[in-house]
Amino acid sequence: MTRLASVVMSEQRDTSRAPRRMTPKRRREQLVTAALELYGRLPPEEVAVEDVTRAADCSRALFYRYFPNVESLHIAALGTVVEELIDRVAMPAAGDHDARLSLETQLRGAVDAFLDVAQRHARAYVALLRSGSVISTGETDALVDGVRDHIVDLLVLRGGVADPSPLQLMTLRGWVALVEGATLTWLEQGEVGRQVMRDWLVAQLFALLEVTARYDPR
């Protein structure tokens, strides 16, 4: 091999490696990204510090500058999934160009976004929702509660219900629980097409609200 070819190959290898000097924020984001990529191949509870440092091309000492242990990295990584869920699961506010769409159409879009994030981060989503998971903690439970509250608040707001009754709130929270449980089964078994899954979940909400209307004069 000529020296020129050797230099070119060396430069190619160097550009493929993670930059050695990063801002603290960028390095932390890199470690979180590495963890999320590993979740695509392994359950989060099986991802160790060595796996992350290898994927991020950094030392253990550098890892421990940003996270005291792998559990704290799991929480940070799962937190980014939750942030994406909250950011993506939205319905147009009054005045938005899509606000003319029917509530059913808006809801279909929100459920589709939810399923998209859950599917792309399937192992992380399962770890978040499985109470028996070894990475399930009070902090991860709080992350999940944040998503639930966001969805219920969104439905109340877009449904135009200023003061929802107890039965209405129970209906919405029950539907969110249905979405969570059904999505877990869907991810693990994959026996239902995504479009069917989305439309079924939307129809379930309207069916539940119809039943609630029989018992709630509000």
Side-chain angles (χ1 to χ4, degrees):
M1 179 183 296
T2 66
R3 177 173 176 76
L4 177 60
S6 176
V7 169
V8 170
M9 290 186 66
S10 176
E11 288 178 348
Q12 289 175 338
R13 285 195 299 269
D14 288 343
T15 56
S16 68
R17 292 168 67 86
R20 290 294 180 182
R21 292 188 178 277
M22 295 184 185
T23 63
K25 178 182 178 183
R26 178 69 188 90
R27 177 65 76 180
R28 193 176 191 279
E29 290 173 349
Q30 184 209 19
L31 292 169
V32 168
T33 299
L36 288 173
E37 290 174 351
L38 286 166
Y39 295 166
R41 303 190 296 273
L42 296 169
E45 55 265 31
E46 293 182 14
V47 174
V49 172
E50 292 76 11
D51 300 316
V52 178
T53 56
R54 189 181 306 114
D57 189 24
C58 70
S59 66
R60 287 176 62 91
L62 189 59
F63 174 92
Y64 286 115
R65 279 192 207 170
Y66 297 93
F67 297 99
N69 48 51
V70 73
E71 289 77 18
S72 62
L73 173 62
H74 288 322
I75 292 170
L78 295 175
T80 65
V81 175
V82 167
E83 289 172 4
E84 186 177 354
L85 275 170
I86 290 176
D87 182 61
R88 291 284 310 280
V89 178
M91 297 164 68
D96 289 355
H97 72 284
D98 287 331
R100 294 167 297 176
L101 297 175
S102 70
L103 182 61
E104 182 176 358
T105 300
Q106 294 180 47
L107 182 60
R108 190 179 294 114
V111 172
D112 210 24
F114 180 91
L115 293 176
D116 177 59
V117 176
Q119 194 171 30
R120 284 190 296 103
H121 299 291
R123 293 185 186 276
Y125 178 85
V126 171
L128 271 171
L129 271 295
R130 286 290 188 215
S131 59
S133 169
V134 298
I135 65 171
S136 177
T137 66
E139 289 179 86
T140 58
D141 290 345
L143 292 175
V144 174
D145 285 341
V147 176
R148 291 167 179 157
D149 291 342
H150 169 74
I151 294 174
V152 171
D153 290 345
L154 192 63
L155 290 169
V156 169
L157 181 64
R158 297 295 178 265
V161 183
D163 183 24
S165 70
L167 278 179
Q168 288 173 326
L169 284 176
M170 281 191 281
T171 300
L172 297 180
R173 292 193 178 279
W175 179 75
V176 171
L178 169 65
V179 171
E180 290 178 355
T183 300
L184 277 177
T185 302
W186 177 66
L187 290 173
E188 294 174 341
Q189 298 182 3
E191 297 175 348
V192 177
R194 177 161 150 180
Q195 183 175 334
V196 172
M197 181 71 175
R198 176 200 66 194
D199 293 345
W200 177 76
L201 287 172
V202 171
Q204 286 286 344
L205 176 58
F206 286 104
L208 289 170
L209 289 171
E210 183 178 345
V211 171
T212 298
R214 299 176 196 167
Y215 296 89
D216 191 341
R218 295 175 56 185

